Structure formats: structure tokens, C-alpha cells
Amino acid sequence: MPLGGTFDGAFLTLLAGAVILWFAPVGMGRYGTYVLSLWLVMSIAVMGLNLTLGYAGLKSLAQAAFMGLGAYTTAILTTKYGVSWYAAFGLSGLLTFAVGIVLGFPALRVKAHYLAFVTLAFSTLIWLVLRNEQWLTGGVFGISNINRPDFFGIKLFGALEFHRFVVVVTLILAVALWWLIRSPWGRAFTALRENPIRAASLGIDTRAYTLLAFAIGSAYAGFAGALYAPLVEFIDPSPFSLSQSFFLLLMVVAGGSGYLLGPFVGALLGVVLPEWLRFAGSLYLIIFAAIVMLLLIACPQGVSGLMERGWAKLTGKRGDGR
């Protein structure tokens, strides 16, 4: 949400960002366009984790595993069974939503950090399945020749065409999340994060809403995976390991947990900033880690929180970016 914090302003910010990103890759070349597309795909995954952590207060360490489920579901259905990408996209989201419910239900019967432990084990299990079940996933050799979808008969094989397709899908998912956060469901999620006991006293079914937030956040990771597979046109288990789940969690925190635009900022730091730092050679990861650490020390609320504080100083009032 923009720093002005109005209902219309949030929607207009998403629209303006989509327009800018539609034209941004012109003249950037194939690799630059790929990096922008990857940023948007990762933003979708971080959006889901931001809902889970930033709005519902749940700690999940399996976002990359859910992204892997979506990517492999799409890759297998489109390459081996000839299913259209659109059907595979929907099935990827449905599968990860269902798995999120199955995974979250027993974990939420107990309190506090048990969901983090369950998702930690689940992430390891999914990575082992992707790596070892070669008959289904291709194992370490992965799945190649993943076709990109058509859009009303327009071939999206080129980097620019597919990037613009990713922009449209990202905008739709971002607007859907924008609406959800401002709906009664979103207010219930926020109440759970702020004070679960008070939320229960107000008649909110805390277990149902907590489970719903986790399942929707998992589905967003599945949607991101369904876009990631045709973007890279080849997948193997390495991008969906436990370390990647920690990296996605870092993107949520660095961008601003609980802020609508936080996922885009966090994914920008995690995807684009390392590319800008490659001039430093082998030191770029150290520089990247130092930048993120200094940022979190200076402002634990992330970049979005830092911008909100700056806006408050300029205007004399608090800009509610949540």
C-alpha cells in the first residue's frame, strides 16, 4: 500500500507499477528481462508468505517447497500429459492449497512454534522426493523443454512477451490479495496476529482463519511455481531447498512484514540487488548480506517500515502502509 494509505491509492499504486513494468524491459535485453520476470515470480511467492507471517503471524519454513510443488505439477502436466498451462496453473494452486490445509491442520492443534517444525520437516521431505523419485520428477536431471503458454493465440516464447504475461498475472494476484486483506477475512487475520485471545473472545474461529491464511499463502507459492517453470524452461530440485525457504522468509522481513508492497521490495532486494552487485565478483554475496543486516538493524520493520517512518516525518502523521 502506498504511504498515503488510502483505499484507492493502494489500487492505483499496483496499476501504476504494472504499467511501468510493462514497458520497463524495452531495450534491456533478454537477460535483463528475465531478471525482472523472476523478480515478479518471486514476489508472488513472498506475497503468500507475507500473508502467512505478516498478517496471520504464522511461521512457515516450507514456502519454497510449495513453490516446487507448483513448478513440478505444471511441468509434469504440460510436458508429459499435454495439459494446457492455464489448467496446470489452476491445479497447482489447488494442490498447494489442499496440501496447506492437510499440513497445517495437525500442526495448529498445538500452539506456538510447532507449525515451523512441521513445515521444516515437510520442506526436507519434498526436496528429497523431487531429488530421488526420478521416474516422476527426473531427479537431479530435472525436467526440460517446458513450454510457455499462449495468450489468446499469441505465442509467448519471447522474453518480452512472457514478461508482460507475468506482469498481468502478478497484477491479478496482487489485487486479489489487496481485496482479501481489506475484507472481513483480512481483518480477522490481522486480529489473529495482534492478539489471538482477544480475537477468539470476539467470536473469530481462530483455528479456521489461521488454517485458511496458511493455505492461501501456500497456494500463492504454488502459483509462483507454475510461472517459474515456463520462465526458466527447465527445473531441478535445487531452487526448492530449505535454504530457499529461509531466503524467502528473509525477503518478507527485509521488505516489511505485514505491508502490502513489502513482498515486491523484499523480492527486489533478493533478486535484483545481487545482480547489481555482481561487479564485486566473489564478494557480492558478502556485500548483499551486509546490506540486509544493516537494514534490519536500522529498521526491523524492513524497507516499507523505513519508508513509512520517513513519510510520517515529512507529513507529521503516520502513513499506514499496512
Side-chain angles (χ1 to χ4, degrees), residues 44 70-71 73-75 77-78 83-96 149 165 168-170 172-173 219-228 230:
I44 295 172
T73 298
T74 298
L77 290 177
T78 55
V83 177
S84 75
W85 179 87
Y86 297 95
F89 178 81
L91 289 172
S92 296
L94 184 62
L95 173 64
T96 47
F165 179 75
V168 172
V169 175
T170 304
I172 293 172
L173 293 175
Y220 265 69
F223 291 139
L227 278 171
Y228 179 81

Side-chain angles (χ1 to χ4, degrees), residues 22 37 40 85-86 89 148-152 156 159-172 226-227 230:
W22 181 274
S37 300
L40 292 176
W85 179 87
Y86 297 95
F89 178 81
R148 293 178 175 178
D150 297 340
F151 185 69
F152 292 105
L156 301 177
L160 179 60
E161 292 81 3
F162 188 72
H163 168 78
R164 288 175 170 171
F165 179 75
V166 172
V167 169
V168 172
V169 175
T170 304
L171 177 63
I172 293 172
L227 278 171

Side-chain angles (χ1 to χ4, degrees), residues 187-189 191-192 196 198-207 209:
R187 290 192 288 272
F189 295 152
L192 287 176
R198 184 172 181 272
S201 69
L202 295 174
I204 296 174
D205 188 338
T206 56
R207 184 176 298 173
Y209 277 100

Side-chain angles (χ1 to χ4, degrees), residues 116-296:
F117 288 148
V118 171
T119 53
L120 174 65
F122 175 74
S123 182
T124 303
L125 174 64
I126 291 298
W127 185 80
L128 289 173
V129 169
L130 297 181
R131 186 177 184 274
N132 296 325
E133 300 302 318
Q134 188 169 344
W135 64 274
L136 179 64
T137 66
V140 295
F141 300 103
I143 300 175
S144 58
N145 299 320
I146 302 172
N147 290 326
R148 293 178 175 178
D150 297 340
F151 185 69
F152 292 105
I154 301 173
K155 302 292 184 180
L156 301 177
F157 299 152
L160 179 60
E161 292 81 3
F162 188 72
H163 168 78
R164 288 175 170 171
F165 179 75
V166 172
V167 169
V168 172
V169 175
T170 304
L171 177 63
I172 293 172
L173 293 175
V175 169
L177 190 61
W178 167 78
W179 171 84
L180 176 66
I181 291 169
R182 283 151 183 77
S183 71
W185 288 356
R187 290 192 288 272
F189 295 152
T190 304
L192 287 176
R193 179 193 63 194
E194 300 296 337
N195 193 326
I197 297 176
R198 184 172 181 272
S201 69
L202 295 174
I204 296 174
D205 188 338
T206 56
R207 184 176 298 173
Y209 277 100
T210 301
L211 192 60
L212 183 63
F214 180 66
I216 294 174
S218 302
Y220 265 69
F223 291 139
L227 278 171
Y228 179 81
L231 172 64
V232 298
E233 300 178 291
F234 166 81
I235 56 172
D236 66 352
S238 58
F240 312 114
S241 62
L242 178 61
S243 61
Q244 184 66 12
S245 288
F246 280 109
F247 197 41
L248 290 170
L249 188 61
L250 176 63
M251 291 183 196
V252 173
V253 176
S257 177
Y259 289 85
L260 183 64
L261 297 184
F264 293 97
V265 178
L268 183 71
L269 291 173
V271 175
V272 179
L273 182 58
E275 295 295 329
W276 290 344
L277 294 174
R278 286 194 183 276
F279 71 90
S282 59
L283 296 177
Y284 88 95
L285 284 177
I286 298 176
I287 298 173
F288 171 69
I291 290 174
V292 174
M293 288 175 61
L294 291 173
L295 167 66
L296 295 180

